[in-house]
Amino acid sequence: GAIDLKKLIIAREGTELSDITMTSYPYVYAEENIDECIEELKKYQDEAIRLDNPYGIGKSYVRMGDVYYQQRMFRLALQQYKQAVDYYIQTGNEKENFYSYRSISSCYINLQRYEEAEEYALRCLDASVTQSALIQSKLLLFQVTCSKMDSKKADELQKELAQYRAQGVMKGTILENYFTLNGYYYAALGNLDKALAYSDSISDKGLSLAVRYKAFEMAGDFYSAFAEL
């Protein structure tokens, strides 16, 4: 069954939400537990509101958004993330909005609403207070500009991100995201060799294959593209 959400939120208070989603929040991937997760979240949300607990109220909106996002229910996720943003602004805790801004931008990317995705990626950038957050924001903006086919901005961001990579400051999922986005970037440019080189650096085999497929497809090598499937 689903892990105890209340205990998770309390125990991982000092952990970035992105890390919690990727590690300590695995039950959102199991379809049989989704209804239970949503029900637990609603109970937690109601209790946090009843107790007027600012931390619990804000995080409950974010966690609900995460559950919907993982199920690709992006419009429902947007509603929850935006409620979190509004709540934190109302309570004077705008510094908490970095994750919600990033998640809202990602929702809009998935919905192919790129202007709105860029707006929230820029808000995410403005809310970045650490180097890690700054790099994540620039990666998000890079993804948006590539999706919009804004080659000038994409090129500028790619060069900035390459400098961070050269400095060795990218780690873990951030580095994985860097490799993946660059793979798609060079695939779109028709640079097969660079796209494949980045795909080889991706540890997630599914992502690596997806980049390789796109690279061969963009190069017009459909035989090799289908061979990757």
Side-chain angles (χ1 to χ4, degrees):
I3 61 176
D4 191 315
L5 185 69
K6 299 176 187 178
K7 291 180 180 178
L8 171 63
I9 292 174
I10 294 170
R12 301 300 299 277
E13 180 173 356
T15 304
E16 283 195 22
L17 292 175
S18 56
D19 292 335
I20 292 176
T21 303
M22 294 298 292
T23 56
S24 299
Y25 212 47
Y27 64 84
V28 297
Y29 295 97
E31 291 184 6
E32 66 270 22
N33 290 329
I34 294 305
D35 290 341
E36 183 180 349
C37 295
I38 292 174
E39 186 62 31
E40 285 297 310
L41 277 162
K42 287 179 178 177
K43 289 179 182 177
Y44 177 78
Q45 197 171 69
D46 290 343
E47 183 68 5
I49 292 171
R50 187 184 71 80
L51 296 173
D52 194 25
N53 182 317
Y55 179 82
I57 294 171
K59 290 296 183 287
S60 69
Y61 291 130
V62 172
R63 293 289 189 268
M64 187 74 81
D66 287 343
V67 171
Y68 286 130
Y69 185 94
Q70 296 294 346
Q71 295 306 299
R72 303 189 65 79
M73 300 176 182
F74 300 117
R75 290 179 176 82
L76 291 175
L78 275 172
Q79 293 175 10
Q80 296 297 321
Y81 292 134
K82 287 188 174 183
Q83 282 185 280
V85 167
D86 291 342
Y87 178 78
Y88 283 133
I89 290 174
Q90 291 169 9
T91 56
N93 292 300
E94 292 181 63
K95 61 182 176 56
E96 298 289 342
N97 275 333
F98 168 79
Y99 181 83
S100 292
Y101 287 148
R102 191 177 71 181
S103 299
I104 290 170
S105 181
S106 294
C107 286
Y108 280 130
I109 290 172
N110 281 284
L111 293 169
Q112 298 183 351
R113 292 164 60 177
Y114 299 125
E115 294 300 327
E116 291 152 300
E118 184 171 24
E119 174 190 344
Y120 279 91
L122 290 170
R123 291 192 190 188
C124 185
L125 188 63
D126 289 340
S128 301
V129 295
T130 66
Q131 186 181 62
S132 174
L134 182 65
I135 294 171
Q136 290 178 68
S137 298
K138 288 183 181 291
L139 282 166
L140 179 61
L141 197 54
F142 181 44
Q143 183 178 2
V144 174
T145 54
C146 287
S147 299
K148 289 178 62 180
M149 294 184 287
D150 186 338
S151 58
K152 183 179 179 181
K153 286 184 181 178
D155 290 346
E156 291 173 356
L157 285 162
Q158 197 279 335
K159 290 181 175 64
E160 285 185 48
L161 290 164
Q163 291 179 350
Y164 287 118
R165 168 61 176 150
Q167 294 167 13
V169 295
M170 292 183 181
K171 307 291 183 184
T173 56
I174 294 176
L175 184 58
E176 187 90 336
N177 194 20
Y178 172 79
F179 291 145
T180 303
L181 291 176
N182 270 281
Y184 282 120
Y185 170 76
Y186 283 110
L189 292 177
N191 191 327
L192 180 61
D193 290 340
K194 280 197 172 182
L196 294 179
Y198 276 107
S199 75
D200 289 340
S201 298
I202 301 169
S203 61
D204 185 298
K205 298 304 180 185
L207 282 175
S208 179
L209 287 174
V211 171
R212 292 178 66 83
Y213 174 85
K214 179 58 69 173
F216 283 121
E217 181 185 47
M218 296 301 292
D221 186 348
F222 296 103
Y223 178 83
S224 296
F226 282 108
E228 296 293 332
L229 294 177

mmCIF file of all heavy atoms in Angstrom, residues 153-180:
data_model
loop_
_atom_site.group_PDB
_atom_site.id
_atom_site.type_symbol
_atom_site.label_atom_id
_atom_site.label_comp_id
_atom_site.label_asym_id
_atom_site.label_seq_id
_atom_site.Cartn_x
_atom_site.Cartn_y
_atom_site.Cartn_z
ATOM 1 N N LYS A 153 17.909 31.395 -28.747
ATOM 2 C CA LYS A 153 17.921 31.252 -27.292
ATOM 3 C C LYS A 153 18.430 29.874 -26.884
ATOM 4 O O LYS A 153 19.167 29.738 -25.897
ATOM 5 C CB LYS A 153 16.517 31.476 -26.721
ATOM 6 C CG LYS A 153 16.066 32.929 -26.709
ATOM 7 C CD LYS A 153 14.710 33.055 -26.036
ATOM 8 C CE LYS A 153 14.227 34.502 -26.026
ATOM 9 N NZ LYS A 153 12.875 34.621 -25.411
ATOM 10 N N ALA A 154 18.042 28.854 -27.636
ATOM 11 C CA ALA A 154 18.477 27.490 -27.325
ATOM 12 C C ALA A 154 19.997 27.381 -27.420
ATOM 13 O O ALA A 154 20.642 26.769 -26.558
ATOM 14 C CB ALA A 154 17.816 26.497 -28.264
ATOM 15 N N ASP A 155 20.575 27.985 -28.446
ATOM 16 C CA ASP A 155 22.031 27.958 -28.617
ATOM 17 C C ASP A 155 22.740 28.645 -27.455
ATOM 18 O O ASP A 155 23.753 28.153 -26.940
ATOM 19 C CB ASP A 155 22.431 28.633 -29.935
ATOM 20 C CG ASP A 155 22.028 27.827 -31.158
ATOM 21 O OD1 ASP A 155 21.691 26.640 -30.995
ATOM 22 O OD2 ASP A 155 22.054 28.394 -32.262
ATOM 23 N N GLU A 156 22.204 29.789 -27.041
ATOM 24 C CA GLU A 156 22.799 30.537 -25.930
ATOM 25 C C GLU A 156 22.764 29.716 -24.645
ATOM 26 O O GLU A 156 23.759 29.642 -23.903
ATOM 27 C CB GLU A 156 22.053 31.864 -25.730
ATOM 28 C CG GLU A 156 22.257 32.871 -26.860
ATOM 29 C CD GLU A 156 21.370 34.090 -26.713
ATOM 30 O OE1 GLU A 156 20.533 34.111 -25.770
ATOM 31 O OE2 GLU A 156 21.500 35.018 -27.541
ATOM 32 N N LEU A 157 21.631 29.104 -24.377
ATOM 33 C CA LEU A 157 21.483 28.300 -23.160
ATOM 34 C C LEU A 157 22.348 27.056 -23.215
ATOM 35 O O LEU A 157 22.929 26.648 -22.200
ATOM 36 C CB LEU A 157 20.013 27.922 -22.954
ATOM 37 C CG LEU A 157 19.115 29.052 -22.454
ATOM 38 C CD1 LEU A 157 17.649 28.735 -22.705
ATOM 39 C CD2 LEU A 157 19.361 29.302 -20.967
ATOM 40 N N GLN A 158 22.455 26.458 -24.393
ATOM 41 C CA GLN A 158 23.290 25.263 -24.532
ATOM 42 C C GLN A 158 24.742 25.577 -24.180
ATOM 43 O O GLN A 158 25.415 24.789 -23.502
ATOM 44 C CB GLN A 158 23.177 24.714 -25.956
ATOM 45 C CG GLN A 158 23.653 23.276 -26.120
ATOM 46 C CD GLN A 158 25.163 23.150 -26.239
ATOM 47 O OE1 GLN A 158 25.841 24.097 -26.657
ATOM 48 N NE2 GLN A 158 25.686 21.992 -25.874
ATOM 49 N N LYS A 159 25.219 26.734 -24.604
ATOM 50 C CA LYS A 159 26.605 27.142 -24.300
ATOM 51 C C LYS A 159 26.780 27.412 -22.816
ATOM 52 O O LYS A 159 27.804 27.038 -22.215
ATOM 53 C CB LYS A 159 26.980 28.373 -25.127
ATOM 54 C CG LYS A 159 27.138 28.106 -26.619
ATOM 55 C CD LYS A 159 27.530 29.371 -27.372
ATOM 56 C CE LYS A 159 27.811 29.086 -28.842
ATOM 57 N NZ LYS A 159 26.643 28.613 -29.576
ATOM 58 N N GLU A 160 25.798 28.055 -22.190
ATOM 59 C CA GLU A 160 25.865 28.314 -20.743
ATOM 60 C C GLU A 160 25.909 27.003 -19.970
ATOM 61 O O GLU A 160 26.715 26.837 -19.037
ATOM 62 C CB GLU A 160 24.647 29.128 -20.294
ATOM 63 C CG GLU A 160 24.675 30.590 -20.664
ATOM 64 C CD GLU A 160 23.482 31.319 -20.066
ATOM 65 O OE1 GLU A 160 23.220 31.147 -18.859
ATOM 66 O OE2 GLU A 160 22.800 32.039 -20.813
ATOM 67 N N LEU A 161 25.056 26.081 -20.348
ATOM 68 C CA LEU A 161 24.982 24.801 -19.644
ATOM 69 C C LEU A 161 26.250 23.975 -19.850
ATOM 70 O O LEU A 161 26.695 23.271 -18.945
ATOM 71 C CB LEU A 161 23.758 24.024 -20.117
ATOM 72 C CG LEU A 161 22.415 24.612 -19.663
ATOM 73 C CD1 LEU A 161 21.265 24.037 -20.477
ATOM 74 C CD2 LEU A 161 22.200 24.351 -18.177
ATOM 75 N N ALA A 162 26.843 24.092 -21.023
ATOM 76 C CA ALA A 162 28.087 23.375 -21.298
ATOM 77 C C ALA A 162 29.205 23.856 -20.368
ATOM 78 O O ALA A 162 30.076 23.069 -19.967
ATOM 79 C CB ALA A 162 28.494 23.574 -22.757
ATOM 80 N N GLN A 163 29.171 25.133 -20.001
ATOM 81 C CA GLN A 163 30.174 25.670 -19.064
ATOM 82 C C GLN A 163 30.006 25.052 -17.682
ATOM 83 O O GLN A 163 30.987 24.705 -17.016
ATOM 84 C CB GLN A 163 30.054 27.191 -18.991
ATOM 85 C CG GLN A 163 30.485 27.898 -20.277
ATOM 86 C CD GLN A 163 30.341 29.405 -20.188
ATOM 87 O OE1 GLN A 163 29.751 29.942 -19.245
ATOM 88 N NE2 GLN A 163 30.876 30.110 -21.172
ATOM 89 N N TYR A 164 28.759 24.917 -17.229
ATOM 90 C CA TYR A 164 28.506 24.265 -15.939
ATOM 91 C C TYR A 164 28.989 22.817 -15.973
ATOM 92 O O TYR A 164 29.567 22.322 -15.009
ATOM 93 C CB TYR A 164 27.012 24.296 -15.597
ATOM 94 C CG TYR A 164 26.481 25.646 -15.191
ATOM 95 C CD1 TYR A 164 25.492 26.282 -15.927
ATOM 96 C CD2 TYR A 164 26.954 26.276 -14.043
ATOM 97 C CE1 TYR A 164 24.993 27.515 -15.542
ATOM 98 C CE2 TYR A 164 26.464 27.513 -13.643
ATOM 99 C CZ TYR A 164 25.479 28.131 -14.405
ATOM 100 O OH TYR A 164 24.996 29.347 -14.030
ATOM 101 N N ARG A 165 28.731 22.159 -17.089
ATOM 102 C CA ARG A 165 29.173 20.770 -17.241
ATOM 103 C C ARG A 165 30.703 20.690 -17.158
ATOM 104 O O ARG A 165 31.256 19.802 -16.496
ATOM 105 C CB ARG A 165 28.673 20.222 -18.585
ATOM 106 C CG ARG A 165 29.287 18.904 -19.022
ATOM 107 C CD ARG A 165 29.004 17.788 -18.054
ATOM 108 N NE ARG A 165 29.519 16.508 -18.527
ATOM 109 C CZ ARG A 165 29.927 15.528 -17.741
ATOM 110 N NH1 ARG A 165 29.881 15.659 -16.431
ATOM 111 N NH2 ARG A 165 30.386 14.406 -18.250
ATOM 112 N N ALA A 166 31.393 21.626 -17.811
ATOM 113 C CA ALA A 166 32.856 21.639 -17.812
ATOM 114 C C ALA A 166 33.411 21.879 -16.412
ATOM 115 O O ALA A 166 34.498 21.394 -16.079
ATOM 116 C CB ALA A 166 33.363 22.709 -18.778
ATOM 117 N N GLN A 167 32.642 22.600 -15.592
ATOM 118 C CA GLN A 167 33.076 22.883 -14.220
ATOM 119 C C GLN A 167 32.834 21.698 -13.287
ATOM 120 O O GLN A 167 33.284 21.706 -12.134
ATOM 121 C CB GLN A 167 32.321 24.112 -13.683
ATOM 122 C CG GLN A 167 32.657 25.408 -14.410
ATOM 123 C CD GLN A 167 31.688 26.530 -14.081
ATOM 124 O OE1 GLN A 167 30.893 26.427 -13.129
ATOM 125 N NE2 GLN A 167 31.725 27.602 -14.859
ATOM 126 N N GLY A 168 32.122 20.693 -13.773
ATOM 127 C CA GLY A 168 31.872 19.502 -12.964
ATOM 128 C C GLY A 168 30.862 19.681 -11.856
ATOM 129 O O GLY A 168 30.889 18.945 -10.868
ATOM 130 N N VAL A 169 29.954 20.652 -12.003
ATOM 131 C CA VAL A 169 28.997 20.938 -10.925
ATOM 132 C C VAL A 169 27.657 20.238 -11.131
ATOM 133 O O VAL A 169 26.768 20.338 -10.280
ATOM 134 C CB VAL A 169 28.767 22.462 -10.775
ATOM 135 C CG1 VAL A 169 30.042 23.139 -10.322
ATOM 136 C CG2 VAL A 169 28.262 23.075 -12.081
ATOM 137 N N MET A 170 27.482 19.525 -12.238
ATOM 138 C CA MET A 170 26.243 18.782 -12.461
ATOM 139 C C MET A 170 26.385 17.365 -11.928
ATOM 140 O O MET A 170 27.373 16.690 -12.213
ATOM 141 C CB MET A 170 25.913 18.738 -13.953
ATOM 142 C CG MET A 170 25.538 20.052 -14.572
ATOM 143 S SD MET A 170 25.078 19.816 -16.320
ATOM 144 C CE MET A 170 24.712 21.511 -16.797
ATOM 145 N N LYS A 171 25.376 16.925 -11.196
ATOM 146 C CA LYS A 171 25.404 15.581 -10.610
ATOM 147 C C LYS A 171 24.041 14.918 -10.760
ATOM 148 O O LYS A 171 23.024 15.575 -10.926
ATOM 149 C CB LYS A 171 25.759 15.642 -9.116
ATOM 150 C CG LYS A 171 27.038 16.411 -8.788
ATOM 151 C CD LYS A 171 28.283 15.694 -9.260
ATOM 152 C CE LYS A 171 29.539 16.465 -8.854
ATOM 153 N NZ LYS A 171 30.760 15.842 -9.384
ATOM 154 N N GLY A 172 24.021 13.593 -10.669
ATOM 155 C CA GLY A 172 22.788 12.825 -10.565
ATOM 156 C C GLY A 172 21.778 13.101 -11.658
ATOM 157 O O GLY A 172 22.085 13.110 -12.847
ATOM 158 N N THR A 173 20.517 13.327 -11.239
ATOM 159 C CA THR A 173 19.431 13.524 -12.193
ATOM 160 C C THR A 173 19.608 14.787 -13.016
ATOM 161 O O THR A 173 19.116 14.861 -14.148
ATOM 162 C CB THR A 173 18.069 13.574 -11.473
ATOM 163 O OG1 THR A 173 18.091 14.593 -10.475
ATOM 164 C CG2 THR A 173 17.750 12.238 -10.817
ATOM 165 N N ILE A 174 20.300 15.787 -12.463
ATOM 166 C CA ILE A 174 20.547 17.015 -13.217
ATOM 167 C C ILE A 174 21.458 16.717 -14.408
ATOM 168 O O ILE A 174 21.206 17.170 -15.536
ATOM 169 C CB ILE A 174 21.187 18.102 -12.312
ATOM 170 C CG1 ILE A 174 20.186 18.530 -11.231
ATOM 171 C CG2 ILE A 174 21.622 19.310 -13.139
ATOM 172 C CD1 ILE A 174 20.751 19.514 -10.235
ATOM 173 N N LEU A 175 22.497 15.935 -14.168
ATOM 174 C CA LEU A 175 23.420 15.568 -15.248
ATOM 175 C C LEU A 175 22.713 14.688 -16.278
ATOM 176 O O LEU A 175 22.911 14.853 -17.487
ATOM 177 C CB LEU A 175 24.631 14.845 -14.668
ATOM 178 C CG LEU A 175 25.743 14.464 -15.653
ATOM 179 C CD1 LEU A 175 26.294 15.698 -16.373
ATOM 180 C CD2 LEU A 175 26.873 13.738 -14.924
ATOM 181 N N GLU A 176 21.888 13.770 -15.799
ATOM 182 C CA GLU A 176 21.123 12.907 -16.702
ATOM 183 C C GLU A 176 20.209 13.743 -17.610
ATOM 184 O O GLU A 176 20.095 13.496 -18.809
ATOM 185 C CB GLU A 176 20.293 11.921 -15.880
ATOM 186 C CG GLU A 176 19.583 10.874 -16.701
ATOM 187 C CD GLU A 176 20.409 9.608 -16.909
ATOM 188 O OE1 GLU A 176 21.645 9.680 -16.822
ATOM 189 O OE2 GLU A 176 19.819 8.566 -17.169
ATOM 190 N N ASN A 177 19.581 14.737 -17.019
ATOM 191 C CA ASN A 177 18.710 15.633 -17.781
ATOM 192 C C ASN A 177 19.516 16.423 -18.813
ATOM 193 O O ASN A 177 19.071 16.629 -19.948
ATOM 194 C CB ASN A 177 17.991 16.580 -16.825
ATOM 195 C CG ASN A 177 16.830 17.298 -17.485
ATOM 196 O OD1 ASN A 177 16.305 16.863 -18.505
ATOM 197 N ND2 ASN A 177 16.420 18.414 -16.906
ATOM 198 N N TYR A 178 20.714 16.835 -18.426
ATOM 199 C CA TYR A 178 21.608 17.561 -19.339
ATOM 200 C C TYR A 178 21.948 16.700 -20.555
ATOM 201 O O TYR A 178 21.867 17.162 -21.704
ATOM 202 C CB TYR A 178 22.872 17.970 -18.588
ATOM 203 C CG TYR A 178 23.954 18.556 -19.473
ATOM 204 C CD1 TYR A 178 23.886 19.877 -19.903
ATOM 205 C CD2 TYR A 178 25.045 17.784 -19.859
ATOM 206 C CE1 TYR A 178 24.869 20.422 -20.719
ATOM 207 C CE2 TYR A 178 26.037 18.311 -20.677
ATOM 208 C CZ TYR A 178 25.948 19.631 -21.093
ATOM 209 O OH TYR A 178 26.939 20.161 -21.906
ATOM 210 N N PHE A 179 22.328 15.458 -20.320
ATOM 211 C CA PHE A 179 22.661 14.551 -21.424
ATOM 212 C C PHE A 179 21.452 14.339 -22.340
ATOM 213 O O PHE A 179 21.573 14.367 -23.564
ATOM 214 C CB PHE A 179 23.122 13.194 -20.881
ATOM 215 C CG PHE A 179 24.453 13.207 -20.190
ATOM 216 C CD1 PHE A 179 24.689 12.382 -19.091
ATOM 217 C CD2 PHE A 179 25.481 14.031 -20.643
ATOM 218 C CE1 PHE A 179 25.921 12.382 -18.459
ATOM 219 C CE2 PHE A 179 26.719 14.032 -20.009
ATOM 220 C CZ PHE A 179 26.943 13.209 -18.919
ATOM 221 N N THR A 180 20.286 14.134 -21.720
ATOM 222 C CA THR A 180 19.076 13.857 -22.496
ATOM 223 C C THR A 180 18.688 15.036 -23.377
ATOM 224 O O THR A 180 18.426 14.875 -24.574
ATOM 225 C CB THR A 180 17.906 13.501 -21.557
ATOM 226 O OG1 THR A 180 18.269 12.385 -20.748
ATOM 227 C CG2 THR A 180 16.647 13.172 -22.348
#
